[in-house]
Amino acid sequence: MGSYSKTYEDDIYFFLPMTSARREETHAALVRDRLNRPFSKDEEREDATFGEIYCDTLTNHCLYECNSPIFKQLSRIHLGSFELACYDDNYDGTVLDTEKVDLFVTAHYRTGIYVVTLVCVDNHYIPTQLIDQMSTDHLAIKDPESGEYVNVASYMGRRYFLSQCGEAKCVICMSNHPKDENELGYILAGETSVSEHIDYKILPHRLEPLLECRAYYDYYDSYISRSVVAFIFKEYPDDIAERLETEASELFIVEIVLFQNTAVTRTNNRVIEELDENDGITNTEIEELYVEFGRTMKFWSSNVFKYTFAQKEADSLIEAFEINKTLDEYYRNQDFLDRMVELKSNIADQRSDEQMNVLLFVLSCFEGCSISLAAILCILGWLMPSSAPHYSFVEGFTSVLWVVIFFSSALLFFLTISGKIVPKRKKRPKKEKKKRN
């Protein structure tokens, strides 16, 4: 790694999609640790911290460029500065260097979806190696309490009750193209270009498809892969506040697309868990899955952005991040789960019918025996001499028993044919499959 020479400046943003099953506790913990003061779009503060500048700038872009009200409800929270551990790709726990990063959370409390962002301004370490750390889940920050380096997702889970839901993404904002033309390809591939334990390289012609410029305006070049967005300035301002005004035009779109992706990934993961561990899922539980996903449908509005090229940029990210594949997988798994529940319901109905038939058979036998017994008792009562001391008792008992049996049999017959005991099975309406594009 010592032979690497960096030929550009850069800011790196790592985005981790997360969710919370303990939303009230998460909300309380984030409010407790929030460092940035409440945002006011009419207020300009000369003493604003970087955390406040970041939150205010992205909020301004959302308010200005978004049509959908759901994205205007997002809360951005600065949780402070941390040390990010820099490794080589042996990942043996040896920290070779550190970079200062700021930790942010963008929250939509009602749906319990969050995007955690690590911001490394003026990064000095090898960008491809840091992106490789993201790809291999080796982003670690120093815990202020223990002094140990811990995985970011683990830290957020322990302190804020969040769990990662989907792949991390990266936006790297660069001052110019790398002199080594292959380095940009490694950035977009999410692999380190200065490996310590492998001596092979990616074939250059395999990197070429990644190196298609996706920019819509003339002040930057943009490149998009499944996990990385490379945003390259034509003129790179020295001041981070000034750079951020430009970088935010890409950052807030990545945030929005990740909210969309996290919504479908969370529901799909729950469906997969039910399929894997299903031992009695009910229609009520399936309805809860539908309702949970339904709360996020506003994220998928086709009219999110006011401007055409912002929407086109989002569409390019959706395609590159393969979000539609995740959505198709969710629909496929949900259909399979619905059919499984319907099949189990049919089997349960069939078993219930079999059990009821057995019960009716037993009752019929009991009824037949009772009628036979009543007939025998009647004959005995008729044959007994009228002078027998117990005749009046036998005759009275026989008469009462006959009446009880008659009315019981009539009542049983009436309940059976009216469907009170064996309910008439309703035909299940066939679901019309919607054509998905």
Side-chain angles (χ1 to χ4, degrees), residues 190-349:
E191 295 191 30
T192 182
S193 59
V194 285
S195 176
E196 290 290 313
H197 71 94
I198 58 175
D199 58 1
Y200 51 82
K201 301 292 183 182
I202 303 174
L203 290 170
H205 73 277
R206 294 299 183 186
L207 297 175
E208 289 175 6
L210 297 175
L211 301 177
E212 177 189 351
C213 183
R214 305 285 192 94
Y216 290 102
Y217 297 98
D218 60 358
Y219 62 89
Y220 69 97
D221 288 339
S222 178
Y223 303 86
I224 305 173
S225 71
R226 195 178 69 130
S227 56
V228 179
V229 177
F231 185 97
I232 304 177
F233 283 84
K234 293 297 178 67
E235 295 183 10
Y236 191 77
D238 293 331
D239 182 26
I240 179 56
E242 188 177 349
R243 291 202 304 274
L244 194 56
E245 282 291 338
T246 302
E247 294 172 350
S249 63
E250 187 78 19
L251 299 176
F252 93 97
I253 296 176
V254 173
E255 267 192 352
I256 287 175
V257 171
L258 281 180
F259 269 95
Q260 294 175 336
N261 193 46
T262 308
V264 65
T265 300
R266 178 178 65 179
T267 307
N268 191 41
N269 287 346
R270 286 196 57 192
V271 171
I272 291 173
E273 288 174 7
E274 295 293 353
L275 289 171
D276 186 45
E277 302 177 2
N278 176 41
D279 56 357
I281 187 171
T282 64
N283 285 316
T284 301
E285 291 169 322
I286 286 186
E287 184 179 352
E288 289 176 358
L289 290 174
Y290 280 130
V291 170
E292 180 182 78
F293 188 60
R295 290 195 186 103
T296 69
M297 290 308 293
K298 287 185 179 180
F299 291 146
W300 297 88
S301 170
S302 60
N303 192 29
V304 172
F305 300 97
K306 295 178 182 177
Y307 299 103
T308 299
F309 289 119
Q311 184 63 59
K312 286 185 175 294
E313 183 79 9
D315 292 341
S316 296
L317 289 171
I318 288 171
E319 179 185 2
F321 291 175
E322 299 181 348
I323 294 175
N324 286 332
K325 287 186 179 180
T326 306
L327 190 60
D328 288 342
E329 182 184 358
Y330 158 69
Y331 284 130
R332 186 169 59 251
N333 291 337
Q334 183 70 64
D335 286 345
F336 185 78
L337 185 61
D338 287 342
R339 292 187 183 188
M340 176 185 289
V341 172
E342 186 174 0
L343 177 62
K344 291 181 66 176
S345 178
N346 290 338
I347 293 173
D349 288 346

Side-chain angles (χ1 to χ4, degrees), residues 410-424:
L411 180 62
L412 178 63
F413 179 74
F414 172 75
L415 293 175
T416 301
I417 64 173
S418 63
K420 298 290 185 179
I421 292 181
V422 183
K424 297 178 181 179

